[in-house]
Amino acid sequence: MAEKKQLDFQKVWDETKKEAARLSKDISLWAKKGEKELIKLSGQAKIGFDIMGLKVKKEQLLHSLGRGYYDTQIGKKMNVSLKKMVDEVKAIDKQISANKHLLKKKR
């Protein structure tokens, strides 16, 4: 009777070890896939954050640009930096467009 219980225990133990090894291998694969997905998502988040920063900068420039235009309309002499601000807004628009395109590629 004791030998039969010992054999049953040994059989269950062997099956449990095999199952644990398989489970360990599966968990390792899942962790690697998760790591790749995390890297992908962090790259997308970085690009999204860059786009948001560019949009904030653009809004600030547009505000300054509007203020400069308003000043020229009320008789003050024309601000030379308005042209530079317009060019900078155009450059930011190009960067935002490029980053959005890059973000679409990463998805």
Side-chain angles (χ1 to χ4, degrees):
M1 183 84 165
E3 286 181 28
K4 185 176 179 180
K5 286 185 178 180
Q6 184 67 25
L7 288 175
D8 287 344
F9 176 76
Q10 188 63 37
K11 183 179 177 183
V12 169
W13 180 250
D14 289 341
E15 288 174 8
T16 304
K17 282 182 7 181
K18 288 178 187 176
E19 190 65 27
R22 185 189 63 77
L23 184 60
S24 174
K25 198 181 279 187
D26 287 348
I27 290 173
S28 175
L29 288 174
W30 291 339
K32 287 179 184 175
K33 287 180 182 179
E35 182 181 0
K36 289 178 185 177
E37 198 63 29
L38 184 63
I39 290 170
K40 179 182 170 185
L41 289 175
S42 68
Q44 290 175 346
K46 183 192 178 303
I47 293 171
F49 185 73
D50 290 345
I51 290 171
M52 192 181 323
L54 288 168
K55 285 181 177 182
V56 167
K57 187 174 181 180
K58 178 183 171 183
E59 286 297 318
Q60 291 171 342
L61 283 168
L62 289 173
H63 177 72
S64 297
L65 192 66
R67 186 65 172 155
Y69 178 78
Y70 175 77
D71 289 344
T72 62
Q73 295 303 309
I74 59 172
K76 295 182 182 178
K77 80 177 204 183
M78 186 164 173
N79 191 348
V80 178
S81 65
L82 288 179
K83 172 79 170 112
K84 287 181 183 178
M85 282 189 257
V86 169
D87 292 340
E88 195 169 348
V89 168
K90 287 179 183 179
I92 288 173
D93 280 338
K94 286 181 183 178
Q95 286 177 327
I96 289 171
S97 178
N99 282 349
K100 284 183 179 179
H101 183 68
L102 183 63
L103 189 59
K104 285 181 182 178
K105 279 187 176 180
K106 286 198 175 241
R107 290 184 183 176

